[in-house]
Amino acid sequence: MNHADQLPCDLIVRNAAIVSRNGLTTGDVAVRGGRIHEVGTPVGGDALEELDATGLHLFPGVIDMHVHFNDPGRTHWEGWATGSTAAAVGGTTTVAEMPLNASPPTLDAGAFDAKATAAIGASWVDFALWGGLTPVNLDSMGELARRGVVGFKAFMCNSGIDDFLAADPTTLREGMLRAAALGLPVAVHAEDESITDHLTAIARFSGATSIQAYLDSRPPEAELAAIARAIELADESGCELYVVHISTSAGVKLVREAAARGVNVHAETCPHYLLFSEEDLADQGALLKCSPPLRTAREREALGTMARNGQVDVLASDHSPSPPEMKSHEDFFQIWGGIAGCQSLLSASLTVVADRPAASGYSQLANMLAGNPAGILRQTHKGDIRAGMDADMVLVDLSETYTVAGSDLRYRHPVSPYVGFPLRGRPVRTFLRGIAIAQDGNVIGRPQGRLIMPARASGTRN
């Protein structure tokens, strides 16, 4: 027997309902040196700390593929400290931060370094960084890859941020060719600019300012046209494609059909598209403005069915907060389009699958929230509860349905459309590499999030 195996474990979580990619079992999880040492029924031996998790479910720590913490440069919108605090108390242990809305955006090595510096020592969770793909930084993609970006984000329409330009078809094609050569995915915001610009111009010319006018300016057809074009370019270039925040069932269907014929493409959607609809937008207004926008209740149900049936690869928050004053304007076109939701990602996702059988529904959810994101990010030691993996885990009380209160939120600005919304499954305790970082709605200890990079790169640094 190895001498190390005779030493006490750092932690043993006992009697938990363990949710892994492969199923649901009841047993114990032992942690040693930041990694899961053993999963068993029971695990023998001693530990420095033992935790009785009877009545609780143990999920893999959530990997949120899509957040905007806006730091450095727009920290008054959010920031690493507050954003990662919210993520941790919500059960997320790793975030992948988009290249905008930080200022400068992550378009070159210097901007990457500035963002990593802002996060190290401030983030409560591990973090990965997306690089940008724009007309002005194609020649910087190689240096971003060497720094450790997990992929490149492109907008197929106006991003709403002056320093992050949309990628026209020529730019996107060239960027995909370069990303394929670098072995990294391209994420696309898929709305066809020719459609959205034309319809927006018509609305503005007529003086329209209403919520309905905004919805009419970004129809499902704009999303579908952009997804189809992105898939075509990915197929031509051999680039791995990640389509973010898909709002329609037809959009997911396009991805699934492309994947079936061999295109390396993944579909992401967000809980807000599965829990809210145009009718809620009419009621709540600015808090639910996003792009692509919310769709009809019928579309929400169709997309939710696809998610529950495993046709969606990833559920992510697309956490995109702003100061409250940017969410207040009589002209709906002028309101910032972004939803604050990273703290609610796990509970909102559990609410979506609440009517599914536990063994299949929870395991499938673990895939969408952790296993599949880990694969796309090339994280070979994250995303599941089994021996050898990072001990990133979250204990959840699934017996509890709770209503989100503004005082619960840990964002810089405690506003969210989830306030007042009943969610199923309260995160009780979150572990990063076996160390508790959040408990009962508050962070504990100190920030110890690390920069993570694709497995093909040189590892992690902190």
Side-chain angles (χ1 to χ4, degrees), residues 9-14 28-31 43-47 49-51:
C9 288
D10 300 314
L11 169 71
I12 297 179
V13 179
R14 296 202 181 274
D28 304 342
V29 176
V31 176
V43 167
D46 300 321
E49 178 185 2
E50 290 201 14
L51 178 64

Side-chain angles (χ1 to χ4, degrees), residues 243-462:
V243 186
V244 303
H245 51 50
I246 299 177
S247 67
T248 60
S249 58
V252 174
K253 184 179 179 182
L254 285 175
V255 171
R256 293 276 64 83
E257 290 173 344
R261 63 177 185 266
V263 182
N264 191 1
V265 56
H266 316 283
E268 172 198 283
T269 194
C270 310
H272 50 261
Y273 293 116
L274 307 178
L275 295 175
F276 300 104
S277 67
E278 290 180 359
E279 290 81 357
D280 299 298
L281 179 61
D283 291 337
Q284 288 207 46
L287 287 179
L288 278 170
K289 182 183 177 183
C290 56
S291 175
L294 299 177
R295 306 300 184 186
T296 64
R298 182 176 180 179
E299 182 58 61
R300 178 197 65 204
E301 289 304 314
L303 183 60
T305 296
M306 298 190 85
R308 286 186 286 270
N309 288 342
Q311 294 171 284
V312 170
D313 299 297
V314 173
L315 289 174
S317 70
D318 187 14
H319 178 69
S320 186
S322 66
E325 59 268 22
M326 294 179 66
K327 282 289 191 179
S328 177
H329 203 285
E330 61 184 14
D331 182 349
F332 202 74
F333 284 86
Q334 298 300 315
I335 290 170
W336 174 255
I339 288 175
C342 71
Q343 185 172 327
S344 302
L345 175 56
L346 175 56
S347 293
S349 299
L350 284 163
T351 305
V352 169
V353 302
D355 61 346
R356 299 289 289 176
S360 60
Y362 298 153
S363 179
Q364 186 170 283
L365 192 63
N367 279 324
M368 291 189 287
L369 288 174
N372 293 342
I376 296 167
L377 297 178
R378 279 70 162 164
Q379 296 303 307
T380 58
H381 293 290
K382 291 186 182 293
D384 201 6
I385 297 180
R386 55 184 169 85
M389 306 296 282
D390 284 358
D392 299 346
M393 309 175 293
V394 54
L395 278 168
V396 182
D397 185 352
L398 285 175
S399 69
E400 184 175 357
T401 296
Y402 67 101
T403 300
V404 179
S407 59
D408 296 331
L409 299 178
R410 300 295 177 254
Y411 309 134
R412 181 173 296 277
H413 306 287
V415 292
S416 170
Y418 289 104
V419 171
F421 196 92
L423 295 178
R424 183 190 182 197
R426 185 186 290 275
V428 173
R429 192 177 302 193
T430 307
F431 301 90
L432 180 64
R433 292 183 296 278
I435 298 173
I437 57 170
Q439 183 172 343
D440 298 328
N442 295 293
V443 287
I444 54 178
R446 61 179 179 81
Q448 52 188 311
R450 299 176 182 173
L451 172 64
I452 62 171
M453 296 181 284
R456 57 163 192 81
S458 57
T460 61
R461 79 182 191 194
N462 56 16

Side-chain angles (χ1 to χ4, degrees), residues 80 113 115-123 127 447 449-451 461-462:
W80 281 103
D113 291 345
K115 184 175 285 188
T117 298
I120 292 168
S123 181
F127 55 95
R450 299 176 182 173
L451 172 64
R461 79 182 191 194
N462 56 16

Side-chain angles (χ1 to χ4, degrees), residues 35-54:
R35 294 275 176 91
I36 295 173
H37 175 66
E38 184 181 354
V39 179
T41 52
V43 167
D46 300 321
L48 300 178
E49 178 185 2
E50 290 201 14
L51 178 64
D52 184 3
T54 300

Side-chain angles (χ1 to χ4, degrees), residues 165-245:
L165 301 177
D168 57 86
T170 300
T171 296
L172 187 55
R173 178 186 291 107
E174 178 61 25
M176 283 187 172
L177 287 168
R178 296 186 185 213
L182 293 165
L184 292 172
V186 166
V188 293
H189 176 124
E191 289 183 285
D192 187 292
E193 187 164 44
S194 66
I195 296 175
T196 58
D197 275 7
H198 175 69
L199 294 176
T200 298
I202 292 174
R204 306 310 279 158
F205 182 77
S206 68
T209 62
S210 69
I211 291 174
Q212 189 59 53
Y214 173 75
L215 290 171
D216 291 343
S217 74
R218 308 189 90 94
E221 291 76 17
E223 177 175 82
L224 299 180
I227 292 174
R229 181 59 175 156
I231 288 171
E232 178 184 349
L233 292 175
D235 194 16
E236 292 175 0
S237 64
C239 177
E240 182 177 357
L241 176 64
Y242 182 70
V243 186
V244 303
H245 51 50

